[in-house]
């Protein structure tokens, strides 16, 4: 329970509306894992799906009820529509499926825009209102707490406020606790939306909730504005997942409510978990985390030095809207072509290296970074390579785990159209000279495979290391010499993982294979340094 | 000029503040291309960078002034800071660099938060105001139009409104035209921000601009709220690129201003270009377009079948906040083949091919394009490859100018560190079998060189063909098979020129060299078709 208790609801619909996002397809196990993470964060309500309409959702509720889901904070919610027009509520199969889901709370969706009632539902306002009233009352009589999602409310209210309000009244007459005003098409802007919310609260006195889509890029802002106008129930999805442009992002909404409006809408200790939970939920959804997401993105507190670097060092709070620790995130200073001493000093501190006492080394590193960046290197996304550079300058690096003698890559496009990539490496590792050959589906893949084949018998930790991501950027050659576009410099970024952490390395060369080789080597040297240290 | 003329400014700072985004590193050629695209859209102002502080920006302004950038709509803007404390303005090197940039407009950034003046700048309010007044006046006397970016304005105004307003007054006394209120740390929410903007406008009567960062996920909403409160100058970046969580997204801001507030802030014909320009700018930044971006994302009007599917078909306007055509986007739940046919028909017309009378061929091309795009191909930026595809389907292509038998690329990293790339091609051209070997500074360069060596004696027009640009994007492999990051699919774009026109071709393959080969071949086949036609 949060300090605000039932007086303010954080209502998560990642599993229902969030699952509408193009590309998301949760298994039932995924859904259970998502629910547990959301519960650990302390949200008040978790909308699990639409039983009866979606077979996976029906199974999710069945397995949850059978004991596979034990919630500490949240109440589980089933979503569904009202009885059909002209059908008795107790005979409506979908309403019965809602009861069968055995959740303490049900959200009912209902039309509140007269055009939708008449053109999509093909009934009239009176019957629509009866459908709402009957269904809410039936579920309340069966012991459920009921919230009403008033679909297309803002468009409907603008078109015909009487109809929109009559739908809300019918729900409350039936016994609904909260009427949720939905910006289903996502066309609202905050000032207008806040006015409407305040108007509805003033006219009805009902407890009002808000549900926003992000089609104007204002879903978070609209949600916050609604709260400022009197809403006490916010519907969000993790990372803003949802149909079209998505929904209001749970993490930004909660971040704003807590740190900007001072509303303790989550248990106090949960705020520092926002970043971790956001990334874990992205993992389950199989969507790369948005690096630039507010509050929780890996770049959300990343500063490209330049203008502010020296000042940031002295006074970080002058340059961040909140302390990143609050939400479990980190401040990072990006080392770029504008890099100076101040930003490298800060960077060193991130790596646990105190450069203030090594002014000469710092001078050398600054010079080296500038030279490299002039040649196309970029360390802003390659912390691991920068760390190696710093440590090399400070003579803090051990012997490298292996030394290359030579490699050869052969790529054949055969007469029959078959393409074969083969690489041979000759390396010295653990006192031995090793030669290994492997094939791959491209030159870099083949080289990586050959290197692994050569090293694995001697470096057992290599087994856990995998390539997560591989990025290539062609940098134009100098303007005068660019006779051919292929005459350019190639920058390769490699993200590696050992199952526990990720690190990124960079390689730059006129030859894409050599650039990739450099980044691959840095990745292994960086891992080796950690292995040595943890043993030492 | 837009219908609003100078009374409303769309001010783009993609090239200055947008370049602060982690991962963006524009070359000078990139910057020129970005400026041309933004100008084609009809923005009023393009802030090109910080001359004097960033060597690349200095070069950009020099090349722009030397005639490489001709703008139809926009005015070019140089960004810089005021004179340093205790220095005469005419002796300040950075201010002189601003003049040397030869732009009609200059944006000066100044501190407006007393804590920043005292703690970061280490001077007092009086000197800070003198720095602003002196520098603005000096630039105005030199014939520049000057806008003032009041950094950290909202935090500063909340902390000490008198200081914040004195800074604005100093700028206007010096002759500044617009004072831009900056939410530099991005901590604002719309309702509060709108109040402050209205307050400043009421107290000062100055022309006010707005510049928002996205740290609360409210940058777009804050920008719109500021306009509703009286701001008549909005600073944005393409796709919201910018430091930390980014800036206000130009496309969402413009979309909202035009379609929600009815302000014609761009030339009428530009709105339908938003989607195309957004994607082209992502391509130049080498950042994958955000599929869920409001207005312009490929999912922005994509409806997952379910609750609404059948109703959407009948009444699409009930389920979209705007008509997607308005911004050049598509609704994707309707049979996409219809949209596909229409755009391919249009495309065909561009190439001088009438597809309306060839419905079967059109059906086949639509199917083929869809299959290829599912495999990672993208014709959005590769018209020449699309044209070849269309002509092949219509049997309008001549015999290809050459036929590949096989190629081999060998890449040696020698013991002494020397790296050699060598390629051999076996091709049939003009009735002969030709074998040629060449070296290059990378595998693709070597392959290109060998192919040219083989063909040039037989195809004299090849001499004029050069590669202008070469771009690589790694597309993630399927989730199941992505054991290694290097196991992905590679898309290569090649831009070629013959001195008269440029054309772009695309190749996709698991092997980067083969992908490049496909794009290189398309480039030559496309040129050959033109040569044949002009002879015929």
């Amino acid at each position: 329970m949060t300090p605000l208790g039932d007086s303010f609801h954080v209502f998560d619909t990642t599993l229902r509306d969030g699952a509408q996002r193009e590309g998301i397809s949760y298994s039932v196990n995924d859904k259970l894992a998502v629910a547990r993470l959301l519960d650990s964060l302390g949200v008040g309500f978790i909308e699990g799906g639409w039983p009866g309409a979606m077979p996976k959702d029906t199974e999710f509720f069945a397995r949850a009820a059978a004991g596979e889901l034990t919630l500490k904070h949240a109440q589980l919610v089933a979503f569904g529509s009202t009885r059909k027009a002209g059908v008795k509520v107790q005979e409506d199969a979908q309403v019965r499926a809602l009861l069968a889901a055995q959740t303490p709370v049900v959200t009912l969706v209902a039309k509140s825009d007269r055009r939708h009632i008449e053109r999509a539902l093909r009934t009239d306002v009176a019957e629509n209102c009866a459908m709402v009233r009957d269904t809410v009352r039936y579920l309340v009589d069966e012991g459920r707490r009921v919230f009403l999602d008033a679909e297309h409310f803002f468009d409907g209210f603008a078109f015909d406020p009487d109809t929109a309000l009559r739908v809300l009244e019918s729900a409350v007459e039936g016994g609904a606790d909260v009427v949720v005003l939905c910006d289903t098409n996502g066309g609202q802007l905050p000032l207008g939306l806040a006015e409407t919310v305040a108007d509805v609260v003033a006219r009805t006195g009902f407890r009002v909730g808000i549900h926003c889509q992000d089609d104007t890029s204002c879903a978070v802002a609209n949600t916050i504005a609604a709260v400022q106008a009197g809403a006490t129930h916010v519907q969000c999805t993790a990372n803003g997942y949802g149909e079209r442009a998505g929904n209001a992002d749970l993490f930004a909404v909660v971040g704003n409510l807590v740190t900007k409006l001072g509303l303790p809408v989550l248990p106090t200790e949960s705020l520092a978990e926002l970043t971790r939970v956001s990334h874990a939920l992205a993992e389950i959804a199989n969507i790369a985390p948005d690096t630039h997401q507010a509050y929780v993105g890996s770049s959300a507190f990343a500063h490209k030095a330049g203008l502010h670097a020296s000042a940031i060092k002295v006074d970080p709070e002058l340059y961040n809207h909140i302390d990143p620790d609050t939400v479990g995130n980190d401040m990072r200073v990006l080392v770029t072509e504008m890099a100076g001493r101040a930003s490298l000093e800060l960077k060193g501190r991130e790596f646990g290296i105190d450069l203030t006492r090594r002014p000469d080394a710092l001078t050398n590193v600054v010079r080296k970074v500038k030279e490299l960046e002039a040649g196309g290197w970029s360390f802003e996304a390659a912390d691991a390579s920068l760390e190696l550079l710093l440590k090399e300058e400070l003579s803090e690096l051990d012997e490298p785990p292996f030394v290359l003698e030579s490699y050869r890559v052969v790529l054949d496009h055969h007469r029959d159209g078959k393409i074969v990539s083969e690489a041979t490496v000759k390396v010295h590792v653990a006192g031995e000279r090793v030669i290994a050959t492997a094939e791959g589906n491209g030159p870099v893949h083949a080289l990586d495979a050959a290197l692994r084949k050569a090293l694995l018998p001697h470096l057992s930790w290599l087994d856990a290391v995998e390539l997560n991501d591989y990025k290539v950027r062609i940098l134009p050659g100098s303007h005068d010499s660019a006779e051919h576009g292929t005459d350019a410099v190639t920058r390769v970024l490699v993200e590696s993982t050992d199952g526990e952490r990720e690190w990124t390395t960079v390689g730059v060369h006129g030859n894409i294979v050599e650039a990739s080789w450099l980044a691959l080597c840095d990745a292994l040297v960086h891992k080796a340094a950690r292995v040595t240290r943890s043993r030492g």
Side-chain angles (χ1 to χ4, degrees), chain A:
Chain A
M1 199 53 101
T2 75
L4 296 174
D6 192 56
S7 70
F8 194 97
H9 296 172
V10 175
F11 180 107
D12 181 278
T13 179
T14 305
L15 292 173
R16 203 270 307 167
D17 221 15
Q20 298 287 311
R21 177 180 160 122
E22 197 175 2
I24 285 189
S25 171
Y26 292 122
S27 68
V28 176
N29 281 335
D30 287 341
K31 294 186 81 124
L32 291 164
V34 169
R36 288 184 196 112
L37 276 166
L38 289 167
D39 183 53
S40 75
L41 207 55
V43 306
F45 300 89
I46 296 171
E47 192 166 70
W50 191 344
M54 318 268 277
K56 253 191 230 160
D57 291 2
T58 309
E59 186 189 339
F60 165 77
F61 285 110
R63 286 176 56 182
E68 282 196 60
L69 187 62
T70 314
L71 300 178
K72 271 188 249 117
H73 295 281
Q75 294 201 288
L76 197 58
V77 183
F79 172 94
S81 57
T82 62
R83 70 164 173 82
K84 291 202 166 53
V87 176
K88 282 188 185 157
V89 62
Q90 60 274 25
E91 289 167 9
D92 187 291
Q94 200 255 298
V95 174
R96 283 212 305 273
L98 275 172
L99 281 180
Q102 302 182 59
T103 57
V105 183
V106 170
T107 301
L108 281 182
V109 61
K111 306 273 181 211
S112 57
D113 181 328
R114 185 151 62 78
R115 292 164 299 189
H116 282 264
I117 294 169
E118 292 169 353
R119 285 154 63 181
L121 218 55
R122 298 179 187 219
T123 185
D124 60 21
V125 173
E127 173 63 4
N128 182 65
C129 286
M131 287 153 61
V132 170
R133 196 183 307 104
D134 291 357
T135 316
V136 175
R137 185 169 291 149
Y138 178 72
L139 291 169
V140 168
D141 287 347
E142 294 285 337
R144 303 299 191 272
R145 185 178 189 182
V146 178
F147 304 149
L148 186 88
D149 273 5
E151 218 190 24
H152 298 285
F153 182 83
F154 293 92
D155 299 331
F157 186 80
F159 177 72
D160 175 2
D162 287 344
T163 295
L165 291 173
R166 273 180 67 190
V167 174
L168 303 185
E169 282 155 13
S170 307
V172 171
E173 283 163 22
D177 243 13
V178 180
V179 289
V180 183
L181 315 184
C182 300
D183 182 21
T184 309
N185 287 353
Q188 294 296 304
L189 301 174
L191 299 188
L193 177 134
E195 232 174 76
T196 303
V197 171
D199 191 11
V200 170
V201 170
R203 287 210 217 180
T204 65
F206 297 159
R207 179 167 189 178
V208 163
I210 185 76
H211 175 117
C212 296
Q213 301 289 136
D214 204 27
D215 299 78
T216 59
S217 204
C218 293
V220 169
N222 285 342
T223 304
I224 302 297
V227 172
Q228 292 175 298
T232 58
H233 167 119
V234 292
Q235 296 197 349
C236 310
T237 64
N239 304 324
Y241 299 148
E243 195 170 39
R244 306 191 309 277
N247 288 47
D249 170 23
L250 172 70
F251 302 104
V253 166
V254 163
N256 285 333
L257 291 174
V258 176
T259 71
K260 305 301 174 194
L261 301 188
L263 290 170
V265 299
L266 286 188
T268 317
E269 65 279 11
S270 290
L271 210 63
E273 302 297 319
L274 290 184
T275 300
R276 183 184 64 79
V277 172
S278 161
H279 291 232
L281 290 170
E283 194 61 43
I284 296 171
N286 197 24
I287 289 173
D290 174 3
T291 50
H292 294 263
Q293 197 173 342
Y295 289 98
V296 299
S298 60
S299 297
F301 300 93
H303 296 265
K304 246 187 196 177
L307 182 52
H308 303 135
S310 52
I312 290 174
K313 205 175 68 168
V314 183
D315 251 339
E317 73 272 25
L318 285 183
Y319 293 92
N320 287 317
H321 72 116
I322 57 161
D323 178 352
D325 287 344
T326 319
V327 292
N329 210 337
D330 290 316
M331 178 166 112
R332 292 189 304 133
V333 172
L334 308 173
V335 174
T336 69
E337 54 190 310
M338 305 167 253
R341 296 180 72 89
S343 53
L344 273 172
E345 251 184 67
L346 274 176
K347 209 68 214 178
R349 221 180 286 170
E350 277 179 37
F351 302 143
I353 303 170
D354 184 2
L355 283 160
T356 47
R357 285 184 284 179
R358 304 284 300 269
D360 293 351
L362 183 55
T363 304
N364 288 339
V365 173
V366 169
R367 205 197 51 240
K368 208 160 187 175
V369 166
K370 284 201 171 159
E371 280 169 16
L372 286 169
E373 296 206 326
W377 292 72
S378 167
F379 294 99
E380 73 178 63
D383 272 7
S385 287
L386 182 63
E387 189 180 340
L388 291 179
L389 194 78
L390 283 177
K391 289 195 167 153
E392 201 181 2
E393 194 53 52
L394 296 170
S395 310
E396 283 184 11
L397 269 191
D398 306 304
E399 284 298 296
F402 64 93
V403 173
L404 175 75
E405 183 181 306
S406 65
Y407 67 70
R408 163 175 287 189
V409 179
V410 181
L411 226 147
D412 272 308
H413 181 126
H414 291 285
R415 209 178 284 237
D416 61 2
K418 203 180 154 199
I419 295 156
V420 176
S421 304
E422 177 196 293
T424 301
V425 298
K426 301 180 182 177
V427 294
H428 297 261
V429 57
E432 283 183 38
R433 179 164 182 264
V434 184
I435 301 179
T437 298
E439 288 185 347
N441 62 2
V444 178
H445 192 205
L447 195 55
D448 182 51
L451 182 63
R452 286 169 178 274
K453 198 170 168 186
L455 299 181
L456 196 55
H458 306 278
L459 304 173
S460 58
W461 50 259
L462 190 61
D463 202 28
V465 178
E466 279 183 12
L467 260 70
N468 245 359
D469 198 12
Y470 174 79
K471 278 188 179 145
V472 174
R473 168 109 171 134
I474 309 292
L475 307 169
S478 71
H479 195 53
D480 298 330
S481 75
E483 193 193 339
H484 291 292
T486 45
D487 191 29
V489 167
T490 302
R491 180 163 68 217
V492 167
L493 287 172
V494 163
E495 189 189 295
S496 306
T497 181
D498 56 10
E500 285 174 16
R501 59 182 194 99
E502 287 97 44
W503 64 100
T504 302
T505 50
V506 59
V508 173
H509 199 273
N511 186 316
I512 188 174
V513 174
E514 177 67 11
S516 308
W517 170 262
L518 293 172
L520 287 171
C521 286
D522 258 17
L524 299 189
V525 172
H526 191 265
K527 170 67 184 174
R530 300 275 166 135
V531 173
T532 315
R533 196 187 309 165
S534 67
R535 278 189 197 137

